[in-house]
Structure formats: C-alpha cells, structure tokens
Amino acid sequence: MARAKKNSAKTGRRHPLATAALLAVGLVVTGAAYAGISTTSATAEVDLNSPAVIKDGEKLFAANCATCHGMGAEGSGSDGPSLIGVGAASVHFQVGTGRMPLAFQGPQGMVKPKQFTEEQTLQMAAYVASLAPGPELPDPQLLTGEGDAARGGELFRINCAMCHNVAGAGGALTQGKWAPPLTGVEPTHIYNAMVTGPQNMPVFSDANITPEQKADIITYLKYIEDKPAIGGFSLGSIGPVAEGLFIWVIGLGSIVALTVWVTAKSN
C-alpha cells in the first residue's frame, strides 16, 4: 500500500526541466511583446519636426549616408544623388525596405534586411525633410486597406500593371532593371513609392492619383495578396508566358508520352 502511494507521488511530480522550459517560454513571449510595444511606441513618439529628432537623424546620416550623398546631402556625383527635396517619404521607403545603404552599385537597389530600426529610419527622414520641402509620410488612415478594391484594381491596371503585372508579381525591364513584386510589401512603402518614384518608377503626385485613390490601390493589392487562387495553381501569376510554357511542356509532353505508350502497346 505504501509502495503504491509512493509510485503515485512520483507520477505526479513534474520533470526537472519543466521549470526551465516554462521560464524560457515566458522570457520569449515577454521579449516579443516588449519588442512589439517598444517599436510601436517609438514610431508613434517620433516627431519629425522636433529639433532633437532632426539632430539625431543628422548624426545617423553623417555616419551612414554621407560617404555617397555628401555631408549636407547635396550628392557626390556618380556615387550618390542629391537628397535635397526628396522628403521624408523617400528616405522612409529606401531605408525602410533595406535598399539603402546600397550593398553594391548596380542597375538598381536590392531589397534586403533593413539595417536600422523604425525610430532611426524616421530620424534620418526627419533630417532630410528639414533640408527642403518634399513628399511627406502618408496619413495612417490611408494605409488601412479598407478602401475600394474594385476602383483600386482599375487604377492599378491603368497605371501600374504594365511594369508590375496585373497581379503585382513584378516583371523584367530593360538594362538589367526590374519592377519588384508587390506581395508582402508594407502599405506605407507602397504609398511612399507612388509619391516619390524610386529608381525606375514614375512619380504619381496627388494631381495624378489622389491620396484616396492611392489608398484604393493599396486595398486592391492587399486583396489579391490575401485571396486564394480559386482557379487552381497561379503559375507565379506572370500571365500567358507561364501558361503557354505549362501547355507546351506538360500538355505536349503528355501527348507524346501517350503516343509512345499506345505505339508500344500495339507492337
């Protein structure tokens, strides 16, 4: 009887590593929550007109950008263009997507992991914006993805699909350049790209496409990004090229294989 009670007590005991595992999980969850809260609060608290923020941005710019763009952001010939008048939106797009600082000189900047926090990015944006008027950061209400997707799709097909593809899958341009895919891109970066025209992209000012219409385009892109491929495989969403290749390789290949099989069977 005593032995049974002893075994029962052993069965109810926790594993020695259980406490360590619970502690590790708690630290991970707490760290993730803190990172999310701190990032959000940092973004919300950055005042682009604050002299202190502009000063911090100037220091970051001097340490990381002045080599190519000059100490006063006036540019340095072929190495880096002038940033006078590009505005906060341009800096937020280029630095926030990891395109800047450049990894190497090429046809256009590559998307890569960003090297600065959101707060640091906004500080540099504030400094560049202080040098001359330029495109500002968008109103957060325009980035919610709750606009008119149908109207956004029409605007996208008229103004953007010739480079980015009707499904936003991107496409090749001339001289080694390309229009990047728009899936997984943050709404603020899509908006900033429209108002600043980075690299090969034209500028869509508010006179061309109003802020509300830009919000509709973002809504459309997020809609096609989230909706399932009802017709089956999307084939990369790159249009008739992929579909034609599928027909030639899979369709004709199947016909040839069937012909060979029938012939071998009859023989």
Side-chain angles (χ1 to χ4, degrees), residues 69-100:
H69 294 286
M71 288 301 296
E74 71 281 0
S76 58
S78 59
D79 291 333
S82 171
L83 300 182
I84 306 297
V86 301
S90 180
V91 177
H92 191 268
F93 173 82
Q94 296 287 358
V95 179
T97 58
R99 287 176 168 86
M100 293 292 162

Side-chain angles (χ1 to χ4, degrees), residues 167-168 181-187 190 218-229:
L182 301 178
T183 53
V185 181
E186 295 182 17
I190 297 174
I218 292 173
T219 301
Y220 166 72
L221 290 173
K222 292 307 169 185
Y223 169 75
I224 62 174
E225 181 180 332
D226 296 335
K227 77 177 184 67

Side-chain angles (χ1 to χ4, degrees), residues 42-65:
T43 302
E45 292 174 1
V46 174
D47 180 5
L48 299 187
N49 297 316
S50 168
V53 171
I54 294 173
K55 190 66 177 177
D56 290 338
E58 184 179 8
K59 294 177 182 177
L60 287 167
F61 185 91
N64 299 279
C65 315

Side-chain angles (χ1 to χ4, degrees), residues 165 167-170 233-239 242:
N165 177 283
F233 292 115
S234 64
L235 301 178
S237 297
I238 57 176

